[in-house]
Amino acid sequence: MRHANNRRAGRASHAARLSRRAALRKRAAARRRRLLGVAALVVLAGLTLAVLGPVRWQGGGSSSSAAGQGVAEPGAAEQGAADRGGGSSPSPSPSPSMSPSPSPKASTHRVVKSGTGEFSTAAANGGPVGTGTIRRYSVQVEGGTGIPAADAAKEIAGVLGDRRGWTANGRDGFQLVSSGPRDFEVKIATPDTVDRICGAAGLHTRGEVNCNVGDQVIVNLKRWLTGSPQFPGPLHEYRALIINHEVGHRIGHGHEGCPGPGRPAPAMMQQIDGLHGCEANAWPYDEKGVYLQGPGVP
């Protein structure tokens, strides 16, 4: 009886050992499958990177700017046509006076097509700059443009007072005023309002360019905020070209051409029609007070 019991106990022990071995083999097989799966994923990832190259983040924090996109630029002939006949007279003479370029340079303000039609005058005054004939001017901005009149006045006064500006000739000076008698007004207006004001004088600005009418320099908001691709400088320089070109007409200057390849384009050149070998330039004079002149254009 005892022997029978021993045999049964031996068989049970052997069966237990076999069961444990089977369980170990199953666990080992499972580990091998997992390792093979990880290795396959590593290989697949390597192949994907090899094909696609490094991945770059394209989330909402992209540094690329959309400013100015979707803004149509007129052809050079179309813009230039609005500036013909500027001559030396302050009478209606549209002038796309190519103005500096947009951004990195472009403004963060949005270009609106229509404003309120009402203008607010900058409550800003300054002392005379330059000598000789001092012309008083005010700066006005149309409602709905998003441009603070005081900011525009400060920038325009800085242009007219710059040593590279018209005061360098020793004959012309300017004074910013907010009230009282004035010789001219600089108005920043939406494209629709520019078309209305300039159109009343028979000028066709087509929502794109500036004009010079009577005692008004009408600056197109679109040009003020986006500049022109023809001018590769900062937006402030493009704005300076608008002001210098238009005010140049007011003090008796006509259009000028390129004086030669590689030389600065005159401020009175219709740079929007092309530079013709000249370098883009916003100022009538250089740092040494030399007038940047070109041949007269009929």
Side-chain angles (χ1 to χ4, degrees), residues 71 107-117 141-147 188-195 207-208 219-226:
V71 179
S107 169
T108 56
H109 288 286
R110 183 173 65 89
V111 178
V112 293
K113 189 171 182 290
S114 298
T116 64
V141 178
E142 184 182 1
T145 61
I147 305 295
I188 299 177
T190 58
D192 282 354
T193 300
V194 172
D195 287 352
E208 294 290 339
V219 178
N220 194 312
L221 178 68
K222 187 173 182 180
R223 300 278 69 80
W224 187 258
L225 293 181
T226 68

Side-chain angles (χ1 to χ4, degrees), residues 48-139:
T48 301
L49 288 174
V51 172
L52 298 180
V55 177
R56 295 178 176 82
W57 171 241
Q58 297 292 338
S62 171
S63 62
S64 61
S65 172
Q69 291 182 3
V71 179
E73 284 291 338
E78 181 177 320
Q79 289 203 33
D83 199 18
R84 302 288 187 255
S88 60
S89 172
S91 60
S93 60
S95 176
S97 32
M98 207 196 128
S99 321
S101 134
S103 226
K105 307 162 191 166
S107 169
T108 56
H109 288 286
R110 183 173 65 89
V111 178
V112 293
K113 189 171 182 290
S114 298
T116 64
E118 301 293 327
F119 288 83
S120 60
T121 301
N125 296 278
V129 294
T131 57
T133 301
I134 304 297
R135 292 174 173 83
R136 292 161 57 90
Y137 69 97
S138 63
V139 174

Side-chain angles (χ1 to χ4, degrees), residues 159-184:
V159 170
L160 291 177
D162 194 285
R163 63 181 181 179
R164 298 165 293 172
W166 292 115
T167 60
N169 65 16
R171 301 185 304 275
D172 294 289
F174 308 95
Q175 183 177 7
L176 173 65
V177 298
S178 59
S179 61
R182 65 203 75 176
D183 295 282
F184 66 95

Side-chain angles (χ1 to χ4, degrees), residues 1 4 28 32 62 67 72 104 109 117 166 187 202 211 213 224 243 248 252 269 277:
M1 188 69 170
R32 284 195 297 273
S62 171
H109 288 286
W166 292 115
K187 291 185 173 180
C211 80
V213 176
W224 187 258
I243 301 304
M269 179 178 169

Side-chain angles (χ1 to χ4, degrees), residues 206-293:
R206 300 178 179 86
E208 294 290 339
V209 296
N210 316 299
C211 80
N212 196 331
V213 176
D215 62 354
Q216 303 175 97
V217 170
I218 310 296
V219 178
N220 194 312
L221 178 68
K222 187 173 182 180
R223 300 278 69 80
W224 187 258
L225 293 181
T226 68
S228 168
Q230 298 288 339
F231 193 100
L235 183 57
H236 173 71
E237 289 286 302
Y238 187 68
R239 292 172 176 175
L241 180 54
I242 293 177
I243 301 304
N244 286 325
H245 186 101
E246 299 296 352
V247 172
H249 282 317
R250 304 208 66 81
I251 63 177
H253 290 269
H255 289 134
E256 299 175 7
C258 176
R263 296 179 63 182
M268 296 310 299
M269 179 178 169
Q270 291 176 284
Q271 297 180 39
I272 198 71
D273 283 341
L275 296 174
H276 305 292
C278 272
E279 296 292 331
N281 164 59
W283 302 98
Y285 291 82
D286 67 13
E287 293 282 357
K288 298 178 181 179
V290 176
Y291 183 56
L292 301 173
Q293 189 172 13

